[in-house]
């Protein structure tokens, strides 16, 4: 066998035998709907200070499939093992993408955690619809956004006015098809799982977040936060991610 063939064979064997044992080297952060990668701006420096590499995914928010592809690409390019973190809608994304063998653990930050065969709509159907939904606006192409007033009053209620304005300006439109997209896998059933429950969340019912933590047997913390816990309580969120990396 040639040297090149031997190298390829060795690479294939090492890839197949990959294990996420040991401390994580990289954190992959996945933002939710009505957001972008800047939603992790206060968490990233804390994680890097703790010695972790960080990749913040930029989701298209136009389909579950495309957001999973973007997340899997980040995992592929990351030095493993990986802690995979998702906020809000990205909980659905990491539930599907998190079965990757490089992923050591999962962290859900005020996020949805559907079971196999479930969609975001399925997860929320048993809970009362929150008042914040009246601030959702749909355009002719089926993309949703939250009004500036909705961002200030509901989405990011505990941020200062300047930060609220930034969240409103940088929000990513979210396609309605994502609401009914079902996951084919539930990574939280296979991987160590950590969850941040935002007890003052006005986008996802806090009881839903608590129920998910129980179902996933997750290491959970409760924070008196709005939906954007990673911005208003960056220290607590970062500490939980660092714990998940160990």
């Amino acid at each position: 066998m040639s040297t090149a063939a031997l190298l390829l064979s060795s690479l294939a064997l090492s890839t197949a035998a990959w294990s996420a044992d040991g401390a994580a080297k990289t954190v992959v952060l996945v933002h939710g709907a009505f957001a972008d990668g800047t939603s992790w701006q206060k968490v990233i420096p804390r994680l890097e200070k703790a010695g972790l590499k960080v990749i913040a995914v930029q989701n298209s928010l136009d389909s579950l499939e495309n957001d999973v592809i973007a997340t899997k690409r980040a995992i592929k390019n990351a030095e493993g093992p990986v802690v995979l973190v998702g906020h809000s809608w990205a909980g659905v994304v990491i539930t599907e993408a998190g079965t990757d063998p490089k992923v050591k653990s999962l962290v859900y930050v005020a996020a949805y955690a559907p079971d196999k065969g479930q969609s975001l709509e399925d997860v929320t159907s048993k809970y009362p619809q929150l008042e914040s939904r009246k601030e959702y606006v749909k355009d002719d192409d089926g993309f949703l956004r939250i009004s500036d007033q909705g961002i200030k009053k509901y989405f990011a209620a505990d941020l200062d006015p300047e930060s609220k304005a930034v969240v409103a300006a940088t929000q990513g439109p979210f396609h309605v098809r994502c609401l009914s997209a079902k996951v084919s896998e539930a990574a939280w059933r296979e991987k160590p799982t950590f969850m941040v429950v935002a007890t003052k969340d006005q986008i996802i019912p806090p009881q839903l977040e608590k129920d998910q933590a129980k179902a996933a047997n997750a290491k959970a913390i409760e924070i008196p936060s709005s939906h954007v816990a990673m911005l208003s309580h960056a220290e607590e969120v970062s500490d939980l991610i660092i714990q998940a990396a160990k």
Side-chain angles (χ1 to χ4, degrees), residues 31-40 57-59 61 170-172:
H31 69 81
F34 317 114
D36 70 358
T38 62
S39 44
W40 301 107
V57 177
Q58 295 288 358
N59 282 328
L61 303 177
T170 58
Q171 68 168 298

Side-chain angles (χ1 to χ4, degrees), residues 153-171:
K153 185 176 180 180
Y154 301 111
F155 193 82
D158 53 355
L159 299 186
D160 61 77
E162 183 177 320
S163 297
K164 289 178 181 180
V166 172
V167 171
T170 58
Q171 68 168 298

Side-chain angles (χ1 to χ4, degrees), residues 27-80:
V27 177
V28 173
L29 302 168
V30 191
H31 69 81
F34 317 114
D36 70 358
T38 62
S39 44
W40 301 107
Q41 60 186 284
K42 294 185 177 180
V43 169
I44 291 171
R46 295 175 184 273
L47 299 180
E48 291 181 337
K49 187 176 180 180
L52 293 161
K53 297 180 180 179
V54 182
I55 298 174
V57 177
Q58 295 288 358
N59 282 328
S60 62
L61 303 177
D62 62 357
S63 71
L64 174 60
E65 179 183 10
N66 285 339
D67 287 356
V68 169
I69 287 172
T71 299
K72 285 187 172 181
R73 183 181 304 117
I75 296 169
K76 180 180 179 181
N77 292 333
E79 180 181 359

Side-chain angles (χ1 to χ4, degrees), residues 173-207:
F174 180 61
H175 202 280
V176 292
R177 71 169 67 93
C178 297
L179 301 173
S180 58
K182 298 180 184 294
V183 299
S184 62
E185 305 290 345
W188 54 262
R189 288 195 171 275
E190 304 174 10
K191 304 291 178 78
T193 299
F194 300 73
M195 291 188 177
V196 175
V197 175
T199 60
K200 294 185 178 181
D201 199 331
Q202 297 182 78
I203 301 298
I204 300 178
Q207 188 60 51

Side-chain angles (χ1 to χ4, degrees), residues 91-92 95 112-116 118-120 123 183 185-186 188 212:
V92 182
T95 295
Y112 299 102
D115 206 345
K116 183 176 181 179
Q118 286 188 324
S119 66
L120 187 158
V123 171
V183 299
E185 305 290 345
W188 54 262
Q212 290 180 152

Side-chain angles (χ1 to χ4, degrees), residues 94-176:
I94 71 170
T95 295
E96 179 77 14
T99 55
D100 189 292
K102 284 179 77 173
V103 175
K104 171 186 175 65
S105 56
L106 306 166
V107 182
Y108 292 77
V109 180
Y112 299 102
D115 206 345
K116 183 176 181 179
Q118 286 188 324
S119 66
L120 187 158
E121 286 181 335
D122 295 329
V123 171
T124 59
S125 63
K126 298 179 182 179
Y127 298 85
Q129 189 171 96
L130 299 179
E131 185 178 299
S132 57
R133 291 303 174 96
K134 68 184 182 183
E135 299 294 337
Y136 288 36
V137 181
K138 185 172 71 171
D139 68 16
D140 293 340
D141 297 318
F143 283 92
L144 297 169
R145 68 180 300 275
I146 300 178
S147 70
D148 288 356
Q149 176 62 24
I151 293 289
K152 295 173 183 177
K153 185 176 180 180
Y154 301 111
F155 193 82
D158 53 355
L159 299 186
D160 61 77
E162 183 177 320
S163 297
K164 289 178 181 180
V166 172
V167 171
T170 58
Q171 68 168 298
F174 180 61
H175 202 280
V176 292

